[in-house]
Amino acid sequence: MRAHLLRQVASWAILFRRTGFALACYERALRDDPNDTVTLAQRAYLYAQSVSAADQQRAVAEFERLVALKPADADSWFNLGFLYQQQGGHVEAIRAFERAVALRDGLDRAWYGLALSRIATGDDASAIEALKKNVALQPMSPFGFMELARAQFRSQQPEACEKTMRRLKAFDPRNAAVLEDETGIRIGIERWWRN
């Protein structure tokens, strides 16, 4: 009960941009139960929002602790992968994202993160598979389609790239036009917005 109250107070402190006070509330709650995964997750998320390199490292450590305490928590694995990715640790990010999608196949953002880290390590073939899963789960988000088309183009799959671009054109012609310019593959986009 006390931990719940302290987390509520911390939420209000965050709303009023009193980060230090919120962290103090989390510390107090964790004194009572150092393995309270809800409080650990909230504190880790708060650290992750900071631009400080030290806080980013604290966030990584917190999420590493969380996945040790709750190894079946797909969201914590995703957050850990995202932080690794932001710091350029793509090999570690791939492992974390793979664990996240193994736990929850429908976690579209983890498939996207997995693809980006695979692209960063030069593995377009595996990235394409992850991006196909991402666009199946998020059929109206242009980001997965754009990265899929780019990976297909780099992998010398122009027919697949064109097909992906046409799917994107159906709901986002501006970004499809960006891909037309990048790839040189013409799918007949009217650039009405450039008048």
Side-chain angles (χ1 to χ4, degrees):
M1 179 67 166
R2 179 178 153 159
H4 175 74
L5 179 62
L6 286 166
R7 286 194 303 267
Q8 288 297 106
V9 171
S11 295
W12 281 100
I14 292 167
L15 185 65
F16 289 104
R17 298 181 184 185
R18 301 289 310 263
T19 305
F21 185 72
L23 287 170
C25 290
Y26 293 141
E27 290 298 324
R28 243 175 119 187
L30 289 168
R31 269 188 245 138
D32 293 339
D33 181 3
N35 294 325
D36 175 3
T37 57
V38 174
T39 303
L40 284 170
Q42 290 178 349
R43 184 173 71 175
Y45 185 76
L46 185 58
Y47 282 138
Q49 299 307 304
S50 172
V51 294
S52 156
D55 283 346
Q56 291 293 308
Q57 287 303 322
R58 287 183 189 102
V60 168
E62 294 280 283
F63 280 114
E64 287 172 340
R65 184 172 172 200
L66 276 165
V67 298
L69 289 169
K70 284 180 70 176
D73 182 11
D75 292 317
S76 290
W77 281 106
F78 166 77
N79 287 324
L80 181 59
F82 179 79
L83 289 167
Y84 284 147
Q85 187 177 68
Q86 294 300 107
Q87 296 174 3
H90 292 288
V91 172
E92 297 86 355
I94 288 169
R95 282 196 292 264
F97 289 136
E98 285 175 342
R99 184 72 178 127
V101 297
L103 290 166
R104 191 179 333 142
D105 188 59
L107 194 56
D108 60 290
R109 64 188 188 272
W111 285 109
Y112 184 71
L114 176 59
L116 293 182
S117 283
R118 285 179 173 170
I119 289 168
T121 61
D123 187 1
D124 278 331
S126 294
I128 287 169
E129 294 312 309
L131 287 163
K132 285 179 180 178
K133 187 70 176 179
N134 172 259
V135 300
L137 293 166
Q138 277 291 344
M140 296 302 288
S141 174
F143 307 111
F145 284 99
M146 292 187 72
E147 292 304 326
L148 177 57
R150 288 174 176 137
Q152 290 167 329
F153 184 74
R154 285 191 303 272
S155 298
Q156 294 163 18
Q157 299 175 21
E159 297 85 13
C161 178
E162 181 179 343
K163 182 178 178 183
T164 300
M165 289 169 60
R166 288 187 185 286
R167 286 181 63 197
L168 177 61
K169 176 187 171 187
F171 68 92
D172 190 345
R174 287 184 187 210
N175 277 317
V178 168
L179 289 172
E180 261 194 350
D181 293 342
E182 286 180 16
T183 65
I185 297 172
R186 299 290 166 220
I187 58 174
I189 296 177
E190 291 183 30
R191 296 162 194 259
W192 48 268
W193 60 86
R194 291 189 182 168
N195 293 347

